[in-house]
Amino acid sequence: MSAKPFLNIDHVDKIFPLGKGKEYVALRDVKLEIRENEIVSIIGHSGCGKSTILNLIAGLDTITKGVILLEDREINAPGPERAVVFQNHSLLPWLTVYQNIEMAVKKVRDDLHPKEVRDHVMRYIDLVNLDHAKDKYPAEISGGMKQRVGIARALSIEPKVLLMDEPFGALDSLTRANLQDHLMRIQMQTGNTVIIITHDVDEAVLLSDRVIMMTNGPEATIGEILEVNLPRPRERLALQHNEEYLRCRGAIVEFLYSKFAKHDD
Amino acid sequence: MLLKTINTIALPTLLFGVLIAVWSTVAIKIPGFPTPIETWNELLIVLSDPMYDNGAGDQGIALQLFSSLKRVFGGFALAIAVGIPVGLLIGMSKIAQTAFNPYIQILKPVSPLAWLPLALFVFKDVDMTAIFVIFITSIWPIIINTALGVRSVSDDFINVARVLQLTAFERVFQIILPVAVPFIFTGMRLSLGIAWLVIVAAEMLTGGLGIGFWIWDEYNNLNYSHIIIGIILIGVVGYILDTIMGFIADHFDYRKRGRV
């Protein structure tokens, strides 16, 4: 690996106190280096601490041991350079699509003139193809559209890292495919570094440059890292019978259902 | 169509008839009890000159109602000014909640009228006393509902605020208040309803002016039809107040916006 890593997760532990001197070790000794402009997905069974890793990078939760560095600066609080797309979109329901994005832009880009704010917001609404819905309230648009607004809001503050916590998990499979294509197209344009939490094998292979596979909790850690050597832009249909795609898919399935199979009680 | 006409017109008319019949029966059984017709005629007289002013203790019905409303809104405005900030504080801070909660729980069930003699002693003024009693009546539902509204802000919205690094001030105005506003209006609507109930009793005790005083005064004058008129007018005004509060509340409720 060349030079310094962009995002460096260095021997991180996360322990949740349970009270009465008991504790739950969610993550043990997680080390991961992420390059700039890379799309990485983190996959694992539920309870493997994959969302915990995302919260630590976002700064929404505190690290028990170890350190996370973004461009050599320690992360210890949330900040707009690490935008989060939440699973349930988290749009403010009393604001329109436009106002939701505007609110984030106004706060983070206080250097912009009012006129520039408008152009800036419209550029990101345009990026997710929602011009027609810009004056609608979240309650008036579909789940997929809401998630696109969530993505536009996160990207509009021009973060260094885009963190996505199972962003398409709550959507039906057709909408999900559509948004995955959106995301790949947008990332090609903006060149963001993206970290996606997922439990969907196909989603992980399709979107990622690397897939991080987590062992089961407690004391979950990184089991294997898989490089996905597929050129971009990637075409969902063409990949169906692609050898590399099938190899990657097979490796993840093998890891999740054989090496670290989880048997629910 | 026919069924709808029966439901919306015929049934209320029928109920009105039953009411008048019961009232007439009572009027026949109890000597001196005003009949519906007598009351109606008196109502026309009372409403024909609602603004007359023959000095203290003898004023038109509109002036009486107006002075009651003035006191209610005075106390209500004070309760809003104090109750919303206190509610926000309690909702946002566990420490504040622990500090305030015992007092709220103990003071809330006290009848506002119990405060009246104390207020009269302190202020030595009827208006101030009435306003204080309305204040102490109105403040509890406002505090409690505001705090409830603040606590109903979801963690997701708080996380959005944290990622954007909103200041405490921005958090209150951009995230917490919009969520809490419908709750605050629920509290205000409850408060105003109770305040309108309490003002009548308070004015019976303080005397001088106001719809409560007027009713008590007419009792002393053996003018019983005016008591019934007072009851009806208090009901009508209360209904109007509640409807207006409902409209305002809906206007500020984001959940009722943007739906066609």
Side-chain angles (χ1 to χ4, degrees):
Chain A
M1 205 169 283
S2 66
K4 283 180 188 166
F6 181 65
L7 180 73
N8 187 3
I9 302 172
D10 195 6
H11 297 274
V12 164
D13 287 8
K14 177 62 190 177
I15 299 169
F16 292 101
L18 296 176
K20 293 179 189 164
K22 292 187 174 177
E23 55 186 31
Y24 178 81
V25 183
L27 297 174
R28 178 71 87 193
D29 202 31
V30 174
K31 0 182 230 298
L32 177 64
E33 295 180 352
I34 293 170
R35 296 180 289 261
E36 197 167 0
N37 305 335
E38 192 176 21
I39 303 186
V40 166
S41 54
I42 301 176
I43 195 167
H45 293 288
S46 50
C48 73
K50 53 192 193 292
S51 286
T52 307
I53 293 184
L54 192 96
N55 284 340
L56 294 179
I57 300 172
L60 294 169
D61 219 333
T62 55
I63 299 165
T64 309
K65 210 179 116 202
V67 67
I68 300 180
L69 300 167
L70 176 61
E71 292 186 317
D72 285 333
R73 290 172 61 177
E74 186 177 349
I75 288 171
N76 48 25
E81 77 282 1
R82 285 159 283 127
V84 184
V85 176
F86 299 94
Q87 179 172 14
N88 60 354
H89 67 77
S90 294
L91 299 179
L92 304 179
W94 55 89
L95 299 179
T96 63
V97 167
Y98 179 88
Q99 289 165 335
N100 261 286
I101 299 169
E102 182 192 41
M103 175 230 177
V105 172
K106 271 186 174 167
K107 173 63 190 171
V108 178
R109 295 294 306 274
D110 48 11
D111 56 311
L112 293 178
H113 289 291
K115 174 82 174 68
E116 294 173 309
V117 168
R118 211 196 136 68
D119 293 344
H120 190 93
V121 173
M122 284 315 296
R123 187 154 67 244
Y124 284 93
I125 290 180
D126 198 41
L127 191 66
V128 293
N129 297 338
L130 279 175
D131 303 48
H132 61 285
K134 73 179 169 60
D135 295 320
K136 292 213 155 98
Y137 287 95
E140 300 172 302
I141 59 178
S142 69
M145 288 162 81
K146 281 181 218 171
Q147 203 51 282
R148 269 147 69 191
V149 180
I151 293 170
R153 178 175 64 181
L155 289 173
S156 71
I157 57 176
E158 297 176 336
K160 290 176 179 160
V161 185
L162 183 64
L163 303 169
M164 309 181 88
D165 189 3
E166 301 193 21
F168 313 133
L171 304 171
D172 66 84
S173 58
L174 291 177
T175 310
R176 191 185 311 165
N178 182 304
L179 285 197
Q180 288 162 350
D181 294 341
H182 261 292
L183 179 67
M184 285 192 290
R185 175 179 60 76
I186 290 167
Q187 199 271 346
M188 294 266 299
Q189 284 177 41
T190 58
N192 284 89
T193 306
V194 183
I195 301 173
I196 305 167
I197 304 298
T198 184
H199 50 232
D200 184 315
V201 177
D202 287 297
E203 180 169 282
V205 179
L206 179 70
L207 297 180
S208 317
D209 298 311
R210 284 189 298 158
V211 179
I212 316 299
M213 291 176 262
M214 300 287 296
T215 65
N216 293 328
E219 305 207 26
T221 191
I222 293 172
E224 287 176 29
I225 298 180
L226 177 79
E227 296 264 353
V228 181
N229 296 311
L230 290 168
R232 294 181 188 274
R234 293 176 183 172
E235 196 60 54
R236 179 186 307 276
L237 267 179
L239 289 178
Q240 284 307 314
H241 304 289
N242 179 300
E243 261 181 50
E244 172 66 3
Y245 183 87
L246 294 174
R247 177 191 74 82
C248 292
R249 207 184 177 286
I252 300 172
V253 170
E254 169 77 13
F255 179 90
L256 289 179
Y257 299 106
S258 169
K259 291 181 202 161
F260 286 93
K262 189 165 182 181
H263 305 287
D264 288 326
D265 300 341
Chain B
M1 188 63 203
L2 181 68
L3 194 69
K4 208 177 167 196
T5 316
I6 293 173
N7 285 339
T8 54
I9 296 171
L11 281 179
T13 311
L14 184 72
L15 266 179
F16 184 73
V18 171
L19 194 72
I20 295 295
V22 171
W23 181 356
S24 303
T25 313
V26 173
I28 291 165
K29 296 275 182 206
I30 301 172
F33 198 99
T35 64
I37 298 292
E38 284 165 20
T39 309
W40 175 252
N41 291 333
E42 274 296 320
L43 179 68
L44 293 181
I45 295 167
V46 166
L47 290 182
S48 67
D49 189 9
M51 305 290 283
Y52 80 86
D53 186 354
N54 294 341
D58 189 15
Q59 297 184 349
I61 189 74
L63 293 180
Q64 306 282 7
L65 280 169
F66 183 63
S67 87
S68 297
L69 282 172
K70 244 178 20 194
R71 290 162 172 173
V72 163
F73 279 107
F76 185 58
L78 268 181
I80 291 170
V82 177
I84 292 178
V86 171
L88 285 176
L89 189 68
I90 291 175
M92 285 190 285
S93 149
K94 200 82 194 156
I95 299 167
Q97 196 203 340
T98 317
F100 278 93
N101 199 40
Y103 304 101
I104 293 176
Q105 295 307 331
I106 289 171
L107 292 178
K108 188 176 56 134
V110 175
S111 164
L113 295 173
W115 291 89
L116 197 139
L118 192 66
L120 211 47
F121 163 65
V122 171
F123 297 116
K124 301 189 171 56
D125 175 86
V126 171
D127 263 327
M128 285 297 292
T129 301
I131 289 171
F132 176 79
V133 168
I134 295 305
F135 166 77
I136 210 83
T137 306
S138 308
I139 196 162
W140 311 117
I142 293 178
I143 290 180
I144 290 165
N145 280 283
T146 304
L148 189 70
V150 173
R151 259 179 248 126
S152 76
V153 176
S154 80
D155 290 343
D156 296 319
F157 294 167
I158 295 299
N159 281 340
V160 170
R162 291 176 67 196
V163 169
L164 293 177
Q165 293 181 331
L166 297 189
T167 62
F169 190 75
E170 289 168 332
R171 258 189 222 200
V172 168
F173 281 92
Q174 297 188 15
I175 308 278
I176 293 171
L177 269 181
V179 175
V181 155
F183 290 83
I184 294 173
F185 273 100
T186 302
M188 283 166 60
R189 203 171 168 180
L190 281 171
S191 286
L192 191 60
I194 306 169
W196 190 239
L197 289 179
V198 168
I199 193 67
V200 175
E203 286 172 343
M204 283 184 179
L205 292 167
T206 58
L209 197 59
I211 188 68
F213 157 75
W214 188 77
I215 288 184
W216 193 248
D217 197 43
E218 297 300 29
Y219 167 74
N220 288 328
N221 296 338
L222 311 181
N223 207 346
Y224 301 124
S225 64
H226 282 193
I227 296 176
I228 297 174
I229 291 169
I231 289 171
I232 293 168
L233 290 179
I234 289 168
V236 170
V237 171
Y239 174 71
I240 293 170
L241 286 182
D242 191 60
T243 308
I244 293 171
M245 272 306 292
F247 269 120
I248 298 173
D250 282 357
H251 178 75
F252 283 101
D253 190 343
Y254 69 84
R255 293 168 300 189
K256 306 226 164 83
R257 227 181 284 160
R259 311 257 165 97
V260 188

